[in-house]
């Protein structure tokens, strides 16, 4: 884990609630899709964790959904603002296990780590399928960005105002894929696991305290005892999770 100074280069709205934020800084400790960073925001005691959406030698990009005080303050920062960022957090997805045609399933900003994963998998010659789920058409973002990678996503909205009407899980059984990777609300992750026999990895977005393994505040029951999402995750194999414990 490293505490680095990052500077905001770009901060623009994708939808009413979600911003794309590009930060310049040292990315040496960030090496795997599914990892996250933890930002210290002016005036707030606890850091806030966010998945890395894009990563290169010069910096990272995040997709930030307005949830409360921290995310509102972050969305309001202008280019040039400097932030303390903990990097090198989290285990990340095991892209090596993907097989030739993995399925990537994202709900809302759960798409963020999957975008980086999709880019890595296509660079390796794999042919991922992407399913993206939103509440309504006005919430949809990153469809064109995935298409630019050569993977036009299967889009679902709960009210049918864009793409297919319904939940991503409803179409899972019609698809042929080698393994799945999912990130989004916990209810979606569970429904995905229950809808397919295929192996998969889940990235959890839980409420965190310290964010680096000290407080146990983010623990989840697994087949091998309580595991910390921040330190042992945020990615877990689907067989590890005990949903009803
Ligand atoms: C590993 C990880 C990766 C994440 N990646 C992203 C990402 O890429 N983009 C993104 O927008 N968000 C992401 N989150 C969620 C993000 O960290 C929270 O939305 C953020 O910390 C909320 O801060 P806030 O100060 O705005 O809200 P607060 O004022 O702290 O909380 C506002 C409301 O949101 C709820 N809340 C806070 N944190 C979470 C959470 N983690 N999950 C669900 N509800 C929460 C609170 O209970 C409260 O109701 C991620 C979380 C984790 C743990
Ligand atoms: S947030 Fe403190 S141990 Fe995970």
């Amino acid at each position: 884990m490293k505490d680095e100074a990052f500077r905001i280069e770009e901060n623009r709205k994708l939808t009413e609630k979600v911003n794309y934020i590009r930060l310049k800084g040292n990315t040496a400790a960030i090496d795997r899709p599914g990892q996250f960073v933890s930002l210290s925001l002016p005036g707030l005691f606890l850091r806030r964790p966010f998945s890395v959406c894009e990563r290169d030698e010069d910096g990272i990009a995040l997709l930030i959904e307005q949830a409360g005080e921290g995310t509102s303050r972050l969305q309001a920062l202008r280019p040039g603002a400097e932030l303390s960022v903990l990097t090198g957090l989290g285990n990340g997805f095991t892209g090596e296990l993907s097989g030739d045609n993995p399925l990537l399933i994202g709900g809302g900003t759960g798409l963020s780590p999957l975008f980086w994963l999709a880019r890595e998998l296509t660079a390796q010659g794999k042919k991922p399928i992407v399913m993206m789920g939103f509440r309504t058409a006005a919430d949809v973002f990153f469809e064109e960005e995935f298409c630019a990678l050569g993977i036009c996503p299967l889009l679902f909205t709960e009210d049918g105002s864009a793409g297919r009407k319904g939940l991503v899980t409803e179409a899972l059984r019609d698809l042929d894929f080698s393994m799945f990777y999912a990130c989004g609300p916990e209810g979606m992750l569970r429904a995905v696991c229950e809808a397919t026999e295929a192996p998969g990895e889940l990235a959890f977005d839980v409420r965190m305290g310290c964010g680096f393994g000290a407080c146990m505040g983010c623990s989840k029951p697994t087949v091998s005892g309580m595991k910390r999402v921040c330190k042992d995750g945020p990615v877990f194999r689907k067989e590890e999770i005990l949903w009803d414990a």
Side-chain angles (χ1 to χ4, degrees), residues 1 36 88-91 208 211-214 218 227-234 236:
M1 179 174 76
F36 64 99
L89 298 174
N91 52 359
M208 285 188 179
F212 49 79
C218 62
K227 297 266 182 170
R228 296 158 300 180
V229 172
C230 65
K231 193 75 181 166
D232 307 310
F236 294 88

Side-chain angles (χ1 to χ4, degrees), residues 114-196:
L114 299 177
F115 185 70
W116 182 11
L117 180 65
R119 178 170 272 170
E120 297 267 306
L121 293 171
T122 46
Q124 292 162 18
K126 312 267 174 72
K127 302 238 173 299
I129 307 164
V130 174
M131 293 173 104
M132 45 168 49
F134 298 92
R135 216 169 29 84
T136 189
D139 295 341
V140 177
F141 57 83
F142 254 51
E143 194 180 7
E144 283 153 28
E145 284 79 356
F146 275 103
C147 287
L149 294 181
I151 320 162
C152 282
L154 304 171
L155 170 65
F156 292 79
T157 51
E158 289 173 29
D159 64 3
S161 51
R164 297 190 211 174
K165 182 175 173 42
L167 304 173
V168 286
T169 41
E170 288 162 20
L172 262 184
R173 288 193 181 82
D174 304 333
L175 296 172
D176 187 22
F177 54 92
S178 42
M179 172 169 174
F180 74 84
Y181 299 89
C183 184
E186 192 158 321
M188 184 201 93
L189 299 183
R190 182 173 184 164
V192 168
C193 291
E194 289 170 354
T196 175

Side-chain angles (χ1 to χ4, degrees), residues 48-51 63 65 67-71 109 205-208:
R48 301 297 196 264
F50 300 101
S51 303
L63 302 182
E65 178 167 21
E69 193 61 31
T71 44
T109 48
D205 154 7
V206 296
R207 194 136 173 74
M208 285 188 179

